[in-house]
Amino acid sequence: MNKQSDRVLVVTSRLKEILGDRLQTSRSVREHHSHTTTLLPSQLPDMVAFPQSTQEISQIVKVCDDNSVPVIPFGAGSSLEGHVNAPQGGVSIDMTNMSAVLEVAPEDLLAVVQPGITRKRLNEELRATGLQFPIDPGADASVGGMVSTRASGTNAVRYGTMADNILELECVLADGQIIRTGSRAKKSAAGYDLTKLIAGSEGTLCVITEVTLKLRGIPEHVVAGYAQFATLDQACTTVIEAIQCGIDVGRIELLDPAQIKASNAYSKLDLAVVPTLFYEFSGGEAKTNEEYELFAAIAEGNGVSALTSAKDAEDRAKLWAARHDAYWAALAQHPGQKGIVSDACVPISKLASCIEQTQEDLSELGLDGYVLGHVGDGNFHVVLCVDPDNQAQCEAAEDLLKRISKRAVEMGGTCTGEHGIGQGKQGSLENEAGPALAVMQTIKKALDPKGIMNPGKIFA
Ligand SMILES: Cc1cc2nc3c(=O)[nH]c(=O)nc-3n(C[C@H](O)[C@H](O)[C@H](O)COP(=O)(O)OP(=O)(O)OC[C@H]3O[C@@H](n4cnc5c(N)ncnc54)[C@H](O)[C@@H]3O)c2cc1C
């Protein structure tokens, strides 16, 4: 009974008893539950479970632990570093059937949700309350996946990351035990902060089965638009000065000329092909208008060549849809190719230089790259479009990703601001964490001694 295939057979039959038809083993379902987004090859789980309750998840994990078979939690599958791959096979736990809003408490500005709910559906359900959950990683990700990758996105400059927006978690540990972390209180000094430890743990410590989220008011007034500059440096300096002046930036995103060209074609924009900021200020009308005036003055001082302010909701939606579709716009320039996305974050004062050096790397390596970023946080991405059959190009892309990660760390930053480590960034984590990596491994071993929780992620 020691062989992995025998153990998988035992788990399959036990889980069939528990889940019936909600355990699937067809190749198409397993393929859908492996990584397909980037160049990283897909590695299929042996089966996919669709539980309906925390108790069922506890039973599934216990069966897997007893038989040393891996467990891979699965949200919406939009992660970018091979997070949901199953290099050792095992059971993918799909959270689709656990996507209810369990409670909304407007007076405490919180909602309790199951992990499978996507951020768009959550906001639809919240609409009547005048409240929102603002964390927005572009893709329509699940709340469980967003907690597990410590996701952020365009709104993080104002609201922080997922780690800043969760109060409580319910989790199933590797031995099937169910625990709760955190509380509804705004702050706590009660022991280790397990909630923050689990945020960003990529399914390697536990399965998250319930999340208490902070909610925010929907701003009454919004001004959004774009500002264009001759150089990246002028654009980045404008952002730094705006933040230094205390402007409460809602969102501020940088798109380089290559990305603007791609977005013009894909999202039917008509922008000059130069470094561009998409910005948004929101809140009370007087405050927002004042912030816009100050921002305009700062942008003028930095030589802005075009500046718009769209108060119309449709125009704003078009702009932000273009930003959210930036990845697909880049890919559309290279039919048949695959996208790879880098994700570095540096102190904001280093951002322009980091991006400029990256652009020099791109031309040295002969790669097509599209730069965009959450510039208010010093976080930027390069979308590389690569022909998977062109080995030299794939190697050049790998080289570029390593250079970006290394440079970010040398500049005092990190190899990933929001996408996480998964399979793709393990070498960069080793370089960044140094001896702290062994501390992370000790925590992993203590909570998951048999190594069943999403093995092969974060650590090799
Ligand atoms: C076009 C595009 C744009 C993107 N832009 C951004 C961006 O701006 N900012 C950003 O942060 N990310 C971005 N991402 C990445 C992605 O959307 C995030 O990583 C997201 O948080 C993943 O959520 P998911 O539900 O898809 O998780 P999945 O991909 O399903 O899983 C991700 C990880 O979380 C684990 N997991 C999932 N559910 C649970 C659970 N209930 N319990 C424990 N572990 C769990 C999985 O095992 C896996 O390790 C983008 C992706 C795409 C495709």
Side-chain angles (χ1 to χ4, degrees):
M1 195 50 79
N2 279 335
K3 272 189 19 222
Q4 161 92 356
S5 54
D6 292 343
R7 286 185 271 119
V8 168
L9 278 179
V10 173
V11 168
T12 311
S13 104
R14 279 292 294 118
L15 295 190
K16 269 272 171 219
E17 285 166 24
I18 297 168
L19 300 168
D21 287 349
R22 288 184 287 110
L23 185 77
Q24 307 255 320
T25 52
S26 74
R27 185 166 181 91
S28 61
V29 173
R30 292 186 297 121
E31 261 168 11
H32 174 72
H33 289 80
S34 64
H35 179 85
T36 51
T37 329
T38 74
L39 262 190
L40 292 162
S42 291
Q43 295 163 316
L44 278 55
D46 295 302
M47 64 201 96
V48 183
F50 294 86
Q52 287 177 335
S53 68
T54 301
Q55 288 304 333
E56 276 188 353
I57 292 180
S58 167
Q59 284 176 288
I60 296 167
V61 176
K62 178 93 179 62
V63 169
C64 288
D65 194 49
D66 288 347
N67 292 281
S68 298
V69 164
V71 166
I72 306 103
F74 186 95
S78 70
S79 48
L80 294 166
E81 296 291 348
H83 292 77
V84 295
N85 259 340
Q88 301 169 25
V91 184
S92 172
I93 303 188
D94 183 309
M95 299 294 168
T96 311
N97 291 336
M98 290 184 62
S99 38
V101 176
L102 301 173
E103 182 188 347
V104 179
E107 63 285 5
D108 287 327
L109 289 171
L110 64 81
V112 184
V113 303
Q114 289 185 308
I117 193 163
T118 64
R119 62 171 187 89
K120 282 189 187 164
R121 229 201 79 216
L122 173 59
N123 278 318
E124 275 160 25
E125 297 217 8
L126 290 173
R127 192 167 294 150
T129 66
L131 298 171
Q132 60 164 339
F133 181 66
I135 309 305
D136 168 13
D140 193 17
S142 73
V143 166
M146 288 166 64
V147 175
S148 297
T149 54
R150 212 186 299 130
S152 45
T154 56
N155 285 323
V157 64
R158 171 177 280 179
Y159 298 108
T161 73
M162 277 309 277
D164 305 310
N165 285 281
I166 41 181
L167 291 165
E168 284 180 298
L169 295 175
E170 178 192 75
C171 309
V172 172
L173 299 180
D175 61 0
Q177 193 191 158
I178 301 166
I179 61 158
R180 295 192 74 87
T181 71
S183 77
R184 290 185 173 210
K186 196 172 172 190
K187 59 186 196 176
S188 165
Y192 295 158
D193 191 340
L194 297 180
T195 310
K196 282 230 161 80
L197 172 66
I198 290 164
S201 64
E202 303 185 4
T204 63
L205 299 180
C206 60
V207 184
I208 298 159
T209 49
E210 194 182 289
V211 187
T212 305
L213 297 165
K214 291 184 193 170
L215 303 180
R216 317 292 178 128
I218 297 176
E220 142 205 342
H221 188 75
V222 181
V223 176
Y226 61 83
Q228 299 201 287
F229 300 86
T231 68
L232 271 174
D233 195 47
Q234 289 172 326
C236 290
T237 306
T238 299
V239 177
I240 294 172
E241 290 177 2
I243 291 172
Q244 277 174 343
C245 284
I247 297 181
D248 184 16
V249 176
R251 315 192 229 189
I252 195 144
E253 297 287 307
L254 174 73
L255 295 85
D256 83 340
Q259 182 64 59
I260 290 292
K261 190 165 171 232
S263 295
N264 275 345
Y266 187 86
S267 300
K268 314 272 176 290
L269 303 179
D270 187 20
L271 302 181
V273 180
V274 293
T276 301
L277 297 173
F278 287 4
Y279 70 84
E280 185 171 288
F281 309 121
S282 56
E285 184 167 1
K287 167 185 166 281
T288 308
N289 289 340
E290 248 173 54
E291 282 173 341
Y292 171 70
E293 295 303 329
L294 185 52
F295 177 74
I298 292 168
E300 294 288 343
N302 286 301
V304 70
S305 55
L307 179 66
T308 67
S309 86
K311 292 188 179 124
D312 183 68
E314 213 170 291
D315 290 345
R316 292 198 312 262
K318 188 173 176 196
L319 199 67
W320 290 112
R323 168 58 189 87
H324 283 137
D325 287 340
Y327 174 75
W328 308 113
L331 274 181
Q333 298 281 302
H334 306 269
Q337 297 198 356
K338 279 253 182 184
I340 314 180
V341 193
S342 80
D343 166 35
C345 193
V346 293
I348 192 170
S349 62
K350 303 281 196 306
L351 184 65
S353 151
C354 195
I355 294 176
E356 275 158 9
Q357 290 180 51
T358 302
Q359 284 174 327
E360 284 163 24
D361 285 341
L362 281 169
S363 52
E364 183 196 321
L365 294 166
L367 289 166
D368 290 318
Y370 300 79
V371 177
L372 57 147
H374 314 303
V375 64
D377 295 323
N379 187 190
F380 76 101
H381 308 301
V382 183
V383 180
L384 296 169
C385 298
V386 176
D387 173 1
D389 298 323
N390 182 338
Q391 204 187 332
Q393 200 181 43
C394 294
E395 280 168 14
E398 286 298 319
D399 185 8
L400 182 88
L401 296 184
K402 283 186 191 140
R403 289 189 199 190
I404 294 173
S405 294
K406 186 164 173 284
R407 181 175 301 128
V409 172
E410 282 166 4
M411 288 180 158
T414 174
C415 67
T416 170
E418 54 184 23
H419 294 167
I421 300 296
Q423 296 178 312
K425 286 244 167 97
Q426 294 175 358
S428 301
L429 177 66
E430 263 177 64
N431 172 48
E432 178 172 332
L437 190 73
V439 179
M440 294 187 203
Q441 285 167 322
T442 304
I443 294 170
K444 162 80 177 164
K445 258 214 164 97
L447 290 179
D448 178 23
K450 294 186 190 165
I452 63 156
M453 298 302 306
N454 206 3
K457 314 300 158 56
I458 302 186
F459 317 107

